[in-house]
Structures are given as C-alpha cells and as structure tokens.
Amino acid sequence: RQTLRLALSATKARGREILKTAGEKLYAGYLWVLYGLAAAAGCLIILIVPWHRWNWRALHILAKTALSLTGLPVKVEGLDQVPRNQPCIVVSNHASYLDAYLLAAVLPLKLGFVAKTELLRRPLIGFLLRRIGTVFVERFDPGKSTEDARRIKTLAKAGQSLLFFAEGTFTRLPGL
C-alpha cells in the first residue's frame, strides 16, 4: 500500500507538472500568434496609411490592444515626466524585438525612431521603417555619423520627438 501511495503521489505530481508545462507552451504559442498578427496588422497599417502621424496613432492603438490581449501586467513609472505638448528625446534599452511594441503601446506621443542604416539593407523592414518616418544613422563612418547627428539635432529643434534604442542592436558593441 505504501508503494502504491508513493506511486500515486508521484503520478499526480508528474501530471500537474505536465499540465503546467502544456499550459505554458500553449500560452507561449498564443503570444507568438498574437505577436505575428500584430506585426502583420502593423505592416498593413503602414502600407495603407501614408501619413506618419496617422499610422503612429494606429500603431499605438494596435500595440495597446495587443498588449492588453497578452494578459501580462505592465507597470509604467515616470510617464508623467514625458511631455505631451512639446518635443522630447526618449532613450531606451533594446533587449528584445518587443521593445518597440511596448513603447508604442505606453508612450502617449508620436515618436520618430532613430535606427541604424544597416536596417535599410533588409528590403521590407527598411521600407516599413522609412514609411513611419524613421531617421537612419550611420554607426561606423565617423564623418557620416557626425552629419547624421547634426540632422537629428535639427529635427529635434524643429519639434520632432525622437526615440533612440541606445544599443542599436542586441550585441555588446556600442550602438547609436
């Protein structure tokens, strides 16, 4: 009887573990599908809507909706420090491909992304980023980088809010 009880107890524990793992995998699959659908919808918005301000607003609503559908709690601190009626510069760490989604969902203003010129070599991504008004900067040519910095300064002085992912990529190399 003792052996039977131990076996039954182990089987229950293993069953709970299998169900938990299955639930986690189903949820992860759901998130991947949601991310893919949001990316596809975002691409369509960018292709259809020709005005930067309008597609930023549409992308903001899309990202906010997708974020709410994840069921994940999001805690945003310091949003009251982000000016809504004047331009600003936002600098963020870049830890994953979801960073842009999250920032688009939670920030209350239209931002121009600042991105590395290497993204222009990816035809679809480069096209889409140009459509939303992304400012591209050279990271490796000092002369071109200086010229790009001046151009960004001019845009900021003209009233455009800009978003930098400081690392510029997912490596330990210096970024933007």
Side-chain angles (χ1 to χ4, degrees), residues 25-150:
K25 289 185 187 288
L26 283 171
Y27 182 63
Y30 165 73
L31 292 178
W32 275 106
V33 168
L34 185 60
Y35 174 75
L37 290 173
C43 289
L44 283 174
I45 288 168
I46 293 168
L47 290 171
I48 293 169
V49 180
W51 302 284
H52 297 176
R53 181 169 303 281
W54 285 16
N55 56 29
W56 176 262
R57 182 70 184 143
L59 292 172
H60 171 73
I61 292 167
L62 174 67
K64 202 170 187 170
T65 302
L67 182 61
S68 70
L69 290 173
T70 67
L72 297 170
V74 175
K75 182 179 179 184
V76 179
E77 293 180 6
L79 203 54
D80 57 323
Q81 302 297 312
V82 177
R84 295 170 201 267
N85 299 323
Q86 64 185 26
C88 67
I89 304 293
V90 177
V91 181
S92 175
N93 289 331
H94 199 6
S96 79
Y97 290 111
L98 297 176
D99 299 333
Y101 275 89
L102 184 61
L103 291 170
V106 301
L107 290 174
L109 64 154
K110 183 216 178 281
L111 294 164
F113 287 98
V114 178
K116 58 188 178 183
T117 55
E118 296 99 290
L119 292 174
L120 288 170
R121 289 187 221 130
R122 298 182 182 166
L124 178 61
I125 292 176
F127 174 77
L128 293 171
L129 288 173
R130 279 194 302 274
R131 282 287 281 204
I132 62 170
T134 299
V135 180
F136 293 95
V137 295
E138 175 58 49
R139 299 187 306 153
F140 302 111
D141 178 348
K144 184 72 173 122
S145 292
T146 302
E147 183 182 313
D148 291 339
R150 285 189 188 112

